[in-house]
């Protein structure tokens, strides 16, 4: 029998077949060279080839192959010693593949428990990865179906479309804004004047001229602003008297006429500006498109304009009060209430907030005027003020309904697909939407400091990254059904909260449902879209209640002044005013028993209209520490203060 000549052992072959421990010890042993072992054996060529083929097919570790080769060499050696031929031994050996498979199975089974643990762990990880990828593919099938841009704009402007054209003030107000330098509406004290006055006198100056008093050294500035804007002020008053509605339709900034954009953005009427170009929606990623077509980027520029007009009218009312011009004070007060109504024509929560903010200005001015110089007002003028106040609308309901039906619902529509599953577009929207809430739209220009940072940012924010993140996000976030159920419970509790008296409101919170949901780490992430993005509804209702009660206090004060003129002294209770001067007795909403508001006297004998405060007792008209007209309460962990809730008169400018 012939045998092949053994192949020379090369250095690389020795390196590959030397255990790491031997190399560390400085020995290039090559002792796991199973091929060399087979080549050096004394077996005939058919047997040696069989051993080589079987050992190779086992696909075991080198050490195990070395052992298998040695065992097979011994097996064939025993057969040859027993007198069998090489051909007979090879024929009896059986199928090479089957034998190699059986040998491999036995060797693998004999490996350590650590190895088998790693194998099963790897299989488990592989199964999870495969399942995760399949889940990502499954979740990427559906797409969110929110309202389109045009549908959303139409829904917001729906109340405007029902207003008669001849009752809309916007065309004339727009013309006034286009032909007037909007700086005329600026009632703030210039920074340089404030700094200079502080250096000279050591006293701080209010930011707004409306915070000054006629005795202040800077009061002439207020008179100068009113004088310079006299014609504009009169035109605004005429518009509020002539038109019931503003009739301004809101739009995305890139769809606004250029003149409107320039004026509404508080630029000078003579300053050039460029309307932003409408983005190409088709080239945007789905998430960015969902974010930019939501209600957040929609502009409400009329609110800023109306607020600036309101501050100018407030200043005009203050100057008129100083002159003793009762007619002008009433005109400005009526105009302020109309500006408030104009603010809330669109059913948005922010619109309602601006509405009540402007009406609060009117309340303050009427209160100051009535307290400072009631004698300048005739009985008819006082009755006119009372009817004007009693007829005003004070409600947040439409704004909160908008938050429920459009804003909160729209967020969920952009997160989930039509089947209620979280979509990869929704995950991207959640990422993009946060930047829009912060006022930082996504920019197409890279701000990464290095090329590596830029590439990493591209990978993290790529569409595939959001697709791969969707299954994990779906495990963390609640599904559409659970999210909607929490939303329904939250708004149901909010509406119930809005029906409570103010005294109960300030000692509870309708937002505690969201706080409960976010009280744990799991809950905070599970309901994150609602927990983070829904505004505080309880604060809105408390604001409404405060404004409503201040209005009631003013109506009672006017009735008491009419009573005093007829009887020569202030009434002791509201019962003396009903029904001749008041249609009903107004309740003290700071009192859990809703007893009537109290009529008291100040140190000069003037009238004070107040509630009992949260302690429920009459402290003789003791003002609290919080700014007017807030009720004196600071938190659950602090004792209820021993003070009353003063509704009338408001404190002097700067005193609150």
């Amino acid at each position: 029998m012939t045998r092949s000549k053994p192949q020379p052992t090369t250095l690389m072959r020795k390196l590959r077949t030397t255990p790491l421990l031997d190399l560390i010890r400085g020995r290039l042993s090559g002792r796991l060279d199973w091929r060399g072992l087979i080549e050096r054996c004394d077996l005939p060529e058919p047997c040696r080839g069989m051993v080589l083929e079987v050992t190779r097919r086992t696909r075991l570790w080198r050490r195990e192959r070395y052992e298998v080769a040695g065992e097979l060499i011994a097996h064939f050696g025993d057969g040859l010693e027993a007198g069998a031929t090489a051909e007979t031994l090879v024929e009896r050996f059986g199928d090479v593949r089957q034998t190699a498979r059986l040998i491999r199975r036995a060797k693998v089974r004999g490996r350590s428990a650590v190895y088998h643990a790693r194998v099963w762990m790897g299989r488990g990880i592989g199964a999870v990865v495969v399942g995760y990828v399949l889940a990502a593919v499954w979740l990427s099938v559906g797409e969110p179906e929110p309202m389109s841009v045009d549908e959303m704009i139409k829904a917001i402007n729906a109340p405007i479309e029902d207003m008669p054209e001849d009752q809309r003030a916007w065309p004339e107000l727009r013309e006034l804004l286009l032909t007037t330098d909007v700086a005329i509406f600026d009632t703030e004290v210039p920074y340089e004047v404030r700094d200079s006055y502080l250096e000279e006198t050591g006293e701080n100056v209010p930011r707004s001229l409306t915070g000054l008093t006629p005795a202040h050294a800077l009061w002439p500035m207020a008179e100068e602003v009113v004088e310079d804007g006299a014609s504009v002020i009169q035109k605004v008053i005429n518009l509020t008297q002539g038109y019931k509605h503003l009739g301004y339709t809101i739009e995305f900034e890139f769809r606004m006429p250029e003149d409107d954009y320039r004026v509404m953005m508080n630029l000078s009427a003579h300053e050039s500006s460029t309307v932003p170009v409408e983005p190409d929606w088709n080239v945007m990623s789905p998430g960015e498109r969902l974010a930019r077509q939501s209600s957040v980027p929609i502009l409400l520029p009329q609110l800023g304009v109306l607020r600036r007009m309101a501050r100018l009218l407030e200043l005009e009312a203050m100057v008129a009060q100083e002159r003793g011009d009762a007619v002008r004070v009433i005109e400005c007060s009526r105009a302020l209430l109309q500006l408030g109504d104009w603010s809330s024509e669109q059913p948005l929560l922010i619109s309602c907030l601006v509405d009540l903010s402007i009406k609060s200005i009117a309340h303050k001015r009427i209160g100051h005027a009535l307290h400072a110089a009631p004698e300048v007002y005739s009985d008819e003028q006082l009755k006119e003020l009372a009817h004007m106040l009693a007829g005003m609308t004070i409600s947040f309901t439409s704004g909160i309904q908008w938050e429920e039906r459009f804003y909160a619902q729209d967020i969920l529509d952009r997160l989930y697909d039509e089947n209620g599953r979280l979509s990869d577009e929704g995950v991207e929207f959640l990422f993009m939407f946060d930047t829009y809430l912060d006022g930082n739209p996504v920019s197409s220009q890279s701000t990464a400091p290095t090329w590596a940072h830029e590439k990493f940012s591209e990978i993290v924010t790529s569409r595939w990254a959001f697709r791969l993140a969707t299954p994990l996000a779906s495990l963390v976030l609640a599904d559409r059904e659970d999210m909607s159920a929490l939303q329904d419970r939250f708004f149901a509790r909010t509406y119930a909260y809005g029906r409570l008296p103010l005294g109960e409101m300030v000692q509870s919170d309708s937002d505690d449902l969201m706080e409960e949901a976010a009280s744990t780490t799991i809950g905070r992430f599970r309901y994150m879209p609602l927990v983070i993005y829904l505004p505080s509804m309880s604060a809105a209702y408390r604001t409404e209640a405060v404004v409503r009660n201040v209005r009631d206090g003013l109506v009672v004060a006017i009735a008491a002044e009419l009573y005093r003129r007829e009887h020569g002294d202030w009434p002791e209770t509201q019962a003396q005013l009903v029904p001749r001067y008041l249609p009903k007795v107004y309740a003290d909403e700071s009192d859990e028993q809703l007893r009537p508001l109290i009529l008291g006297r100040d140190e000069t004998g003037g009238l004070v209209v107040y509630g009992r405060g949260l302690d429920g007792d009459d402290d003789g008209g003791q003002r609290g520490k919080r700014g007017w007209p807030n009720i004196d309460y600071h938190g659950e962990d602090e004792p209820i203060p021993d003070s009353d809730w003063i509704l009338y008169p408001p404190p002097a400018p700067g005193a609150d």
Side-chain angles (χ1 to χ4, degrees):
M1 288 183 248
T2 62
R3 56 176 294 192
S4 60
K5 185 178 180 181
Q7 297 294 324
T9 302
T10 64
L11 178 61
M12 288 304 299
R13 180 168 169 177
K14 273 198 169 187
L15 283 172
R16 288 199 309 271
T17 57
T18 299
L20 181 60
L21 189 58
D22 289 359
L23 288 175
I24 293 175
R25 293 172 177 173
R27 295 169 52 192
L28 193 62
S29 62
R31 60 186 178 87
L32 299 182
D33 185 6
W34 59 273
R35 289 181 182 274
L37 176 63
I38 296 173
E39 292 171 357
R40 293 191 299 270
C41 72
D42 295 331
L43 296 178
E45 185 60 33
C47 295
R48 187 185 301 110
M50 178 64 73
V51 173
L52 180 64
E53 183 65 15
V54 171
T55 304
R56 183 181 65 83
R57 285 181 177 273
T58 59
R59 295 178 290 108
L60 295 167
W61 297 338
R62 282 193 176 91
R63 177 178 56 78
E64 294 171 331
R65 287 188 183 185
Y66 191 89
E67 293 173 356
V68 169
E71 292 170 359
L72 290 176
I73 290 172
H75 169 75
F76 281 103
D78 292 343
L80 291 174
E81 289 180 1
T85 64
E87 289 76 11
T88 302
L89 292 174
V90 170
E91 184 179 351
R92 291 176 181 174
F93 193 78
D95 183 66
V96 173
R97 293 182 179 179
Q98 182 66 20
T99 302
R101 190 178 301 115
L102 293 173
I103 293 173
R104 172 176 172 77
R105 185 179 301 168
K107 287 291 184 181
V108 170
R109 192 176 297 155
R111 289 176 181 173
S112 68
V114 175
Y115 165 80
H116 289 290
R118 290 204 313 266
V119 169
W120 282 107
M121 184 182 297
R123 290 174 181 174
I125 293 174
V128 170
V129 170
V130 171
Y132 191 90
V133 172
L134 291 176
V137 173
W138 180 62
L139 290 171
S140 65
V141 172
E143 292 185 0
E145 295 182 353
M147 285 191 296
S148 67
V149 175
D150 295 327
E151 289 173 337
M152 183 173 297
I153 293 295
K154 184 178 180 181
I156 296 175
N157 288 325
I160 309 300
E161 299 301 326
D162 296 333
M163 297 175 182
E165 293 283 348
D166 60 353
Q167 293 184 20
R168 301 185 188 182
W170 172 243
E172 291 190 33
L173 183 59
R174 176 179 181 273
E175 184 64 27
L176 174 62
L177 294 173
L178 290 175
T179 56
T180 304
D181 189 341
V182 294
I184 199 69
F185 297 107
D186 189 5
T187 58
E188 289 195 358
V189 180
Y191 286 109
E192 57 273 14
V193 174
R194 292 164 56 193
D195 293 341
S196 175
Y197 189 85
L198 178 61
E199 291 179 3
E200 292 177 3
T201 65
E203 298 178 4
N204 288 315
V205 179
R207 293 187 59 182
S208 175
L209 292 170
T210 57
L212 302 177
T213 63
H216 199 282
L218 297 180
W219 178 253
M221 290 185 61
E223 295 177 324
E224 183 180 351
V225 168
V226 167
E227 182 180 354
D228 292 343
S231 62
V232 174
I233 293 172
Q234 187 59 51
K235 289 178 182 178
V236 171
I237 292 176
N238 292 342
L239 288 175
T240 59
Q241 293 174 347
Y243 294 94
K244 183 178 181 181
H245 306 292
L246 176 63
Y248 177 80
T249 55
I250 65 175
E251 188 54 274
F252 282 93
E253 59 181 358
F254 42 75
R255 293 183 179 178
M256 291 176 64
E258 186 170 336
D259 289 341
D260 290 16
Y261 180 82
R262 180 175 64 250
V263 174
M264 302 300 268
M265 293 298 104
N266 291 332
L267 299 172
S268 169
H270 307 292
E271 185 177 343
S272 62
S273 63
T274 303
V275 178
V277 178
E278 182 168 1
D280 187 349
W281 305 111
N282 296 322
V283 301
M284 284 185 182
S285 65
E288 183 178 359
R289 185 166 59 250
L290 287 171
R292 296 196 65 175
Q293 290 183 349
S294 68
S295 59
V296 172
I298 297 177
L299 295 181
L300 303 171
Q302 84 280 12
L303 299 182
V305 172
L306 294 175
R307 285 175 62 90
R308 299 185 75 180
M309 289 181 176
R311 287 192 288 268
L312 185 59
L313 285 173
E314 179 184 12
L315 195 61
E316 167 73 2
M318 293 175 66
V319 174
Q321 176 184 328
E322 177 64 14
R323 295 196 307 261
D325 190 345
V327 173
R328 193 61 167 176
V329 172
I330 295 175
E331 286 180 343
C332 291
S333 300
R334 186 181 296 278
L336 284 168
L337 296 180
Q338 186 63 58
L339 290 182
D341 288 340
W342 284 358
S343 301
S344 58
E345 289 181 347
Q346 276 92 4
L348 304 174
L349 184 61
I350 183 64
S351 301
C352 295
L353 285 168
V354 173
D355 173 17
L356 295 196
S357 173
I358 293 176
K359 287 175 179 176
S360 294
I361 294 174
H363 291 167
K364 185 186 292 187
R365 294 275 61 86
I366 293 173
H368 279 307
L370 183 62
H371 180 66
E375 67 279 356
V376 303
Y377 297 91
S378 67
D379 290 358
E380 292 304 318
Q381 287 174 329
L382 289 178
K383 292 176 182 178
E384 180 183 357
L385 280 174
H387 288 300
M388 184 172 63
L389 290 169
M392 64 183 288
T393 302
I394 302 175
S395 176
F396 265 114
T397 301
S398 62
I400 292 178
Q401 287 175 344
W402 167 267
E403 294 294 321
E404 178 185 14
R405 299 173 185 173
F406 290 90
Y407 180 72
Q409 194 69 25
D410 185 59
I411 289 178
L412 300 186
D413 287 342
R414 294 173 189 275
L415 278 176
Y416 300 95
D417 63 17
E418 64 277 8
N419 298 315
R421 297 191 301 261
L422 184 67
S423 64
D424 59 293
E425 296 92 344
V427 174
E428 185 180 3
F429 157 74
L430 202 59
F431 175 80
M432 299 288 184
F433 190 59
D434 189 59
T435 64
Y436 281 94
L437 284 180
D438 292 339
N440 300 312
V442 177
S443 173
S444 59
Q445 297 181 351
S446 173
T447 57
T450 65
W451 177 86
H453 285 84
E454 180 179 353
K455 292 302 177 185
F456 178 77
S457 177
E458 290 177 0
I459 293 173
V460 170
T461 59
S462 67
R463 181 73 188 280
W464 281 105
F466 289 114
R467 283 177 174 171
L468 291 176
T470 302
L472 179 60
S474 66
L475 292 176
V476 175
L477 292 177
D479 58 24
R480 176 64 182 265
E481 184 178 355
D482 287 347
M483 201 79 77
S484 297
L486 177 64
Q487 174 190 324
D488 293 341
R489 295 198 306 273
F490 172 74
F491 280 99
R493 186 176 295 189
T494 296
Y495 293 129
Y497 180 86
R499 294 189 290 269
L500 296 175
L502 179 61
E504 294 185 41
M505 283 187 185
V506 297
Q507 299 184 77
S508 60
D509 197 337
S510 70
D511 302 328
D512 56 2
L513 183 63
M514 287 299 173
E515 294 175 2
E516 292 172 10
S519 60
T520 64
T521 303
I522 295 177
R524 189 159 49 250
F525 284 99
R526 181 170 175 78
Y527 299 105
M528 180 178 64
L530 296 181
V531 170
I532 293 180
Y533 299 133
L534 280 183
S536 173
M537 303 299 177
S538 57
Y541 268 131
R542 287 196 296 270
T543 301
E544 174 191 322
V546 168
V547 175
R548 183 178 61 249
N549 280 268
V550 171
R551 185 271 314 270
D552 294 347
L554 284 174
V555 172
V556 172
I558 292 173
E561 172 62 24
L562 292 172
Y563 179 94
R564 185 189 67 81
R565 292 182 179 185
E566 185 171 344
H567 295 84
D569 198 5
W570 297 110
E572 296 296 329
T573 65
Q574 290 189 66
Q576 297 174 254
L577 303 175
V578 178
R580 179 173 174 78
Y581 305 98
L582 282 180
K584 64 176 182 178
V585 172
Y586 287 89
D588 171 14
E589 289 196 24
S590 68
D591 178 28
E592 292 184 357
Q593 303 176 38
L594 294 179
R595 289 172 289 182
L597 289 171
I598 300 173
L599 306 183
R601 310 286 186 275
D602 60 18
E603 58 276 6
T604 64
L607 178 70
V608 180
V609 181
Y610 60 95
R612 295 164 181 80
L614 299 183
D615 60 355
D617 60 10
D618 183 356
D619 297 305
Q622 176 66 38
R623 286 189 183 271
K625 296 180 180 180
R626 296 195 67 188
W628 182 87
N630 296 304
I631 196 167
D632 203 12
Y633 182 66
H634 295 276
E636 296 180 357
D637 299 332
E638 300 182 22
I640 294 177
D642 188 24
S643 61
D644 295 322
W645 181 32
I646 308 301
L647 301 177
Y648 172 87
D656 56 345

